[in-house]
Amino acid sequence: MPKLQALIFDVDGTLADTERDGHRIAFNRAFAESGLDWEWTVERYGELLETTGGKERLQRYLQEDQPGYPLTTDAATWAATIHKLKTKHYKALIQAGSIPLRPGVRRLIQEARDAGVRLAIATTTTPENVTALLEAALAPDSLSWFEVIAAGDIVPAKKPAPDIYLYALEKMGLKPEDCLALEDSQQGLKSAAQAGLKTVITLNDYTKNHNFSGAAIVLDQFGEPDAPFQIIAGNPGEKSYFDIALARSLAET
């Protein structure tokens, strides 16, 4: 019987609710800095989130919402320029303390460290964004807690392709059955599942209507001893918050 050896975390929407009040705001500030009067509403950004990757999201928006915009370069180069500005604004939001960790995240990560369970990140967001969030919201030295930070363009195909998880597994020298993935979206679930990983889902407002068939368990959050999670699908047994014992039981059954 395989034993749980590692937790592999998605970032945006899983570690913190970064999308609506983080990335979306940063994109809008990047547009303003570029002299554009565009604004991504909460609703439109939710639709754009179906496309993983910020640069890819920008190109989709350009094609669908601003087809007449006069580019002075190719779309990919334009998107990379806007995305660089957006990253600057996102980091400023993080450093201002505007985006806290989701309930239970800090406790779960500390429990994993105490139990000798290895940690990794598998995300489509940029390495700079991961660093900013971890250092500001978790701990200044928390980047070193994660054995592998698989992020951004480190693999050619982003979620829902399995590449980012396969990369993390290869770097850790682990098999899928040794690990548990922690995600918040249908795209993330597909990515992890195609890599052979069992997946825990903690959904949010943007992903609450996604199809999570095949997930090991679906919760509204990881929860705390004094603030239990809500079970959307799956069986946590007697548990009312997600801990290493529950992670082991899901991974090892």
Side-chain angles (χ1 to χ4, degrees):
M1 178 71 68
K3 297 289 186 182
L4 177 67
Q5 296 190 44
L7 298 179
I8 307 179
F9 286 88
D10 171 54
V11 174
D12 293 321
T14 301
L15 293 184
D17 278 324
T18 54
E19 295 292 9
R20 188 187 68 182
D21 299 323
H23 290 295
R24 184 183 68 88
I25 299 298
F27 274 116
N28 286 337
R29 291 182 180 179
F31 295 150
E33 185 176 345
S34 302
L36 300 168
D37 63 353
W38 305 344
E39 181 177 356
W40 285 359
T41 64
V42 170
E43 293 75 21
R44 181 58 177 141
Y45 190 63
E47 296 166 355
L48 292 169
L49 281 175
E50 296 168 5
T51 299
T52 54
K55 293 186 287 292
E56 292 80 2
R57 214 167 287 145
L58 282 163
Q59 291 181 73
R60 173 183 165 186
Y61 175 76
L62 192 68
Q63 183 179 31
E64 292 181 359
D65 295 58
Q66 304 293 340
Y69 179 71
L71 289 173
T72 58
T73 182
D74 63 275
T77 302
W78 170 85
T81 301
I82 297 291
H83 194 264
K84 186 175 181 179
L85 287 177
K86 172 258 174 181
T87 297
K88 178 188 71 172
H89 289 292
Y90 178 78
K91 289 168 70 174
L93 286 166
I94 290 287
Q95 289 159 3
S98 302
I99 306 171
L101 297 175
R102 293 189 69 187
V105 168
R106 182 184 302 277
R107 172 189 51 76
L108 178 60
I109 288 173
Q110 190 57 58
E111 284 183 9
R113 296 183 72 212
D114 292 343
V117 175
R118 297 155 69 182
L119 298 169
I121 295 286
T123 179
T124 59
T125 200
T126 64
E128 296 94 330
N129 289 344
V130 177
T131 299
L133 179 66
L134 292 179
E135 291 181 347
L138 187 54
D141 66 337
S142 60
L143 209 64
S144 66
W145 303 356
F146 294 84
E147 189 173 328
V148 174
I149 305 284
D153 298 323
I154 202 165
V155 293
K158 295 185 176 179
K159 299 175 185 178
D163 302 36
I164 198 74
Y165 278 106
L166 294 173
Y167 176 91
L169 289 168
E170 180 183 4
K171 289 296 180 182
M172 299 180 86
L174 293 175
K175 298 176 182 177
E177 55 266 32
D178 299 327
C179 308
L180 199 63
L182 301 110
E183 279 280 358
D184 75 305
S185 71
Q186 182 178 353
Q187 296 96 324
L189 173 59
K190 286 182 178 179
S191 175
Q194 288 184 88
L197 289 154
K198 289 184 178 179
T199 307
V200 172
I201 296 292
T202 54
L203 50 75
N204 55 60
D205 284 346
Y206 274 135
T207 66
K208 62 186 178 183
N209 295 320
H210 284 196
N211 179 0
F212 292 119
S213 299
I217 197 168
V218 183
L219 308 167
D220 69 327
Q221 57 171 312
F222 291 122
E224 295 285 13
D226 60 349
F229 52 48
Q230 179 182 346
I231 305 158
I232 312 301
N235 181 13
E238 299 299 316
K239 289 289 183 180
S240 62
Y241 63 96
F242 193 89
D243 61 4
I244 288 299
L246 180 51
R248 283 186 168 134
S249 72
L250 292 172
E252 296 168 10
T253 56

